[in-house]
PDB file of all heavy atoms in Angstrom:
ATOM      1  N   ILE Q 213       4.339 -25.770 -50.413  1.00  0.00           N
ATOM      2  CA  ILE Q 213       4.647 -24.406 -50.833  1.00  0.00           C
ATOM      3  C   ILE Q 213       4.932 -23.503 -49.626  1.00  0.00           C
ATOM      4  O   ILE Q 213       5.996 -22.896 -49.539  1.00  0.00           O
ATOM      5  CB  ILE Q 213       3.499 -23.821 -51.683  1.00  0.00           C
ATOM      6  CG1 ILE Q 213       3.313 -24.643 -52.956  1.00  0.00           C
ATOM      7  CG2 ILE Q 213       3.784 -22.357 -52.030  1.00  0.00           C
ATOM      8  CD1 ILE Q 213       2.167 -24.172 -53.823  1.00  0.00           C
ATOM      9  N   THR Q 214       3.964 -23.446 -48.697  1.00  0.00           N
ATOM     10  CA  THR Q 214       4.103 -22.514 -47.573  1.00  0.00           C
ATOM     11  C   THR Q 214       5.201 -22.938 -46.611  1.00  0.00           C
ATOM     12  O   THR Q 214       6.085 -22.142 -46.265  1.00  0.00           O
ATOM     13  CB  THR Q 214       2.768 -22.395 -46.820  1.00  0.00           C
ATOM     14  OG1 THR Q 214       1.738 -22.030 -47.730  1.00  0.00           O
ATOM     15  CG2 THR Q 214       2.867 -21.357 -45.717  1.00  0.00           C
ATOM     16  N   LEU Q 215       5.157 -24.195 -46.156  1.00  0.00           N
ATOM     17  CA  LEU Q 215       6.090 -24.649 -45.125  1.00  0.00           C
ATOM     18  C   LEU Q 215       7.552 -24.567 -45.562  1.00  0.00           C
ATOM     19  O   LEU Q 215       8.391 -24.095 -44.785  1.00  0.00           O
ATOM     20  CB  LEU Q 215       5.731 -26.069 -44.689  1.00  0.00           C
ATOM     21  CG  LEU Q 215       6.394 -26.565 -43.396  1.00  0.00           C
ATOM     22  CD1 LEU Q 215       6.079 -25.627 -42.244  1.00  0.00           C
ATOM     23  CD2 LEU Q 215       5.924 -27.978 -43.065  1.00  0.00           C
ATOM     24  N   PRO Q 216       7.913 -25.006 -46.772  1.00  0.00           N
ATOM     25  CA  PRO Q 216       9.317 -24.855 -47.182  1.00  0.00           C
ATOM     26  C   PRO Q 216       9.794 -23.399 -47.182  1.00  0.00           C
ATOM     27  O   PRO Q 216      10.949 -23.122 -46.851  1.00  0.00           O
ATOM     28  CB  PRO Q 216       9.334 -25.442 -48.598  1.00  0.00           C
ATOM     29  CG  PRO Q 216       8.194 -26.406 -48.620  1.00  0.00           C
ATOM     30  CD  PRO Q 216       7.134 -25.769 -47.782  1.00  0.00           C
ATOM     31  N   GLN Q 217       8.911 -22.476 -47.573  1.00  0.00           N
ATOM     32  CA  GLN Q 217       9.307 -21.066 -47.573  1.00  0.00           C
ATOM     33  C   GLN Q 217       9.380 -20.494 -46.162  1.00  0.00           C
ATOM     34  O   GLN Q 217      10.144 -19.551 -45.910  1.00  0.00           O
ATOM     35  CB  GLN Q 217       8.312 -20.265 -48.407  1.00  0.00           C
ATOM     36  CG  GLN Q 217       8.321 -20.619 -49.887  1.00  0.00           C
ATOM     37  CD  GLN Q 217       7.389 -19.743 -50.689  1.00  0.00           C
ATOM     38  OE1 GLN Q 217       7.744 -18.640 -51.101  1.00  0.00           O
ATOM     39  NE2 GLN Q 217       6.171 -20.219 -50.911  1.00  0.00           N
ATOM     40  N   LEU Q 218       8.602 -21.053 -45.239  1.00  0.00           N
ATOM     41  CA  LEU Q 218       8.620 -20.582 -43.854  1.00  0.00           C
ATOM     42  C   LEU Q 218       9.750 -21.187 -43.034  1.00  0.00           C
ATOM     43  O   LEU Q 218      10.070 -20.674 -41.954  1.00  0.00           O
ATOM     44  CB  LEU Q 218       7.289 -20.912 -43.168  1.00  0.00           C
ATOM     45  CG  LEU Q 218       6.052 -20.132 -43.584  1.00  0.00           C
ATOM     46  CD1 LEU Q 218       4.851 -20.628 -42.804  1.00  0.00           C
ATOM     47  CD2 LEU Q 218       6.253 -18.639 -43.355  1.00  0.00           C
ATOM     48  N   LYS Q 219      10.354 -22.267 -43.532  1.00  0.00           N
ATOM     49  CA  LYS Q 219      11.350 -22.992 -42.734  1.00  0.00           C
ATOM     50  C   LYS Q 219      12.501 -22.109 -42.241  1.00  0.00           C
ATOM     51  O   LYS Q 219      12.848 -22.156 -41.048  1.00  0.00           O
ATOM     52  CB  LYS Q 219      11.894 -24.178 -43.532  1.00  0.00           C
ATOM     53  CG  LYS Q 219      12.732 -25.132 -42.692  1.00  0.00           C
ATOM     54  CD  LYS Q 219      13.163 -26.346 -43.506  1.00  0.00           C
ATOM     55  CE  LYS Q 219      14.029 -27.278 -42.667  1.00  0.00           C
ATOM     56  NZ  LYS Q 219      14.491 -28.448 -43.453  1.00  0.00           N
ATOM     57  N   PRO Q 220      13.125 -21.271 -43.095  1.00  0.00           N
ATOM     58  CA  PRO Q 220      14.190 -20.399 -42.568  1.00  0.00           C
ATOM     59  C   PRO Q 220      13.709 -19.458 -41.474  1.00  0.00           C
ATOM     60  O   PRO Q 220      14.425 -19.212 -40.502  1.00  0.00           O
ATOM     61  CB  PRO Q 220      14.658 -19.621 -43.809  1.00  0.00           C
ATOM     62  CG  PRO Q 220      14.262 -20.461 -44.957  1.00  0.00           C
ATOM     63  CD  PRO Q 220      12.977 -21.128 -44.555  1.00  0.00           C
ATOM     64  N   VAL Q 221      12.498 -18.938 -41.619  1.00  0.00           N
ATOM     65  CA  VAL Q 221      11.948 -18.034 -40.610  1.00  0.00           C
ATOM     66  C   VAL Q 221      11.698 -18.774 -39.305  1.00  0.00           C
ATOM     67  O   VAL Q 221      12.036 -18.285 -38.216  1.00  0.00           O
ATOM     68  CB  VAL Q 221      10.635 -17.389 -41.119  1.00  0.00           C
ATOM     69  CG1 VAL Q 221       9.992 -16.534 -40.034  1.00  0.00           C
ATOM     70  CG2 VAL Q 221      10.907 -16.572 -42.364  1.00  0.00           C
ATOM     71  N   ILE Q 222      11.125 -19.974 -39.387  1.00  0.00           N
ATOM     72  CA  ILE Q 222      10.842 -20.760 -38.190  1.00  0.00           C
ATOM     73  C   ILE Q 222      12.135 -21.125 -37.468  1.00  0.00           C
ATOM     74  O   ILE Q 222      12.211 -21.052 -36.230  1.00  0.00           O
ATOM     75  CB  ILE Q 222      10.042 -22.028 -38.561  1.00  0.00           C
ATOM     76  CG1 ILE Q 222       8.644 -21.648 -39.055  1.00  0.00           C
ATOM     77  CG2 ILE Q 222       9.932 -22.972 -37.361  1.00  0.00           C
ATOM     78  CD1 ILE Q 222       7.844 -22.809 -39.602  1.00  0.00           C
ATOM     79  N   ILE Q 223      13.169 -21.500 -38.219  1.00  0.00           N
ATOM     80  CA  ILE Q 223      14.453 -21.829 -37.601  1.00  0.00           C
ATOM     81  C   ILE Q 223      15.048 -20.605 -36.913  1.00  0.00           C
ATOM     82  O   ILE Q 223      15.591 -20.698 -35.808  1.00  0.00           O
ATOM     83  CB  ILE Q 223      15.429 -22.399 -38.656  1.00  0.00           C
ATOM     84  CG1 ILE Q 223      14.948 -23.768 -39.119  1.00  0.00           C
ATOM     85  CG2 ILE Q 223      16.844 -22.507 -38.090  1.00  0.00           C
ATOM     86  CD1 ILE Q 223      15.770 -24.366 -40.244  1.00  0.00           C
ATOM     87  N   SER Q 224      14.932 -19.440 -37.545  1.00  0.00           N
ATOM     88  CA  SER Q 224      15.442 -18.204 -36.934  1.00  0.00           C
ATOM     89  C   SER Q 224      14.697 -17.886 -35.643  1.00  0.00           C
ATOM     90  O   SER Q 224      15.308 -17.518 -34.630  1.00  0.00           O
ATOM     91  CB  SER Q 224      15.309 -17.041 -37.918  1.00  0.00           C
ATOM     92  OG  SER Q 224      16.039 -17.287 -39.090  1.00  0.00           O
ATOM     93  N   LEU Q 225      13.369 -18.033 -35.653  1.00  0.00           N
ATOM     94  CA  LEU Q 225      12.582 -17.780 -34.450  1.00  0.00           C
ATOM     95  C   LEU Q 225      12.920 -18.787 -33.365  1.00  0.00           C
ATOM     96  O   LEU Q 225      13.022 -18.435 -32.167  1.00  0.00           O
ATOM     97  CB  LEU Q 225      11.089 -17.850 -34.790  1.00  0.00           C
ATOM     98  CG  LEU Q 225      10.562 -16.773 -35.750  1.00  0.00           C
ATOM     99  CD1 LEU Q 225       9.114 -17.064 -36.124  1.00  0.00           C
ATOM    100  CD2 LEU Q 225      10.679 -15.394 -35.129  1.00  0.00           C
ATOM    101  N   LEU Q 226      13.106 -20.055 -33.748  1.00  0.00           N
ATOM    102  CA  LEU Q 226      13.515 -21.075 -32.782  1.00  0.00           C
ATOM    103  C   LEU Q 226      14.860 -20.740 -32.170  1.00  0.00           C
ATOM    104  O   LEU Q 226      15.079 -20.924 -30.965  1.00  0.00           O
ATOM    105  CB  LEU Q 226      13.578 -22.448 -33.463  1.00  0.00           C
ATOM    106  CG  LEU Q 226      12.317 -23.296 -33.450  1.00  0.00           C
ATOM    107  CD1 LEU Q 226      12.511 -24.521 -34.329  1.00  0.00           C
ATOM    108  CD2 LEU Q 226      11.947 -23.711 -32.036  1.00  0.00           C
ATOM    109  N   PHE Q 227      15.761 -20.264 -32.983  1.00  0.00           N
ATOM    110  CA  PHE Q 227      17.095 -19.893 -32.510  1.00  0.00           C
ATOM    111  C   PHE Q 227      17.013 -18.811 -31.440  1.00  0.00           C
ATOM    112  O   PHE Q 227      17.617 -18.910 -30.363  1.00  0.00           O
ATOM    113  CB  PHE Q 227      17.923 -19.432 -33.717  1.00  0.00           C
ATOM    114  CG  PHE Q 227      19.098 -18.577 -33.381  1.00  0.00           C
ATOM    115  CD1 PHE Q 227      20.184 -19.105 -32.698  1.00  0.00           C
ATOM    116  CD2 PHE Q 227      19.134 -17.244 -33.754  1.00  0.00           C
ATOM    117  CE1 PHE Q 227      21.276 -18.311 -32.384  1.00  0.00           C
ATOM    118  CE2 PHE Q 227      20.216 -16.454 -33.444  1.00  0.00           C
ATOM    119  CZ  PHE Q 227      21.285 -16.982 -32.763  1.00  0.00           C
TER     120      PHE Q 227
END
Side-chain angles (χ1 to χ4, degrees):
I213 298 178
T214 305
L215 194 57
Q217 294 184 84
L218 289 179
K219 191 176 179 182
V221 175
I222 293 173
I223 291 175
S224 300
L225 295 173
L226 270 172
F227 159 68

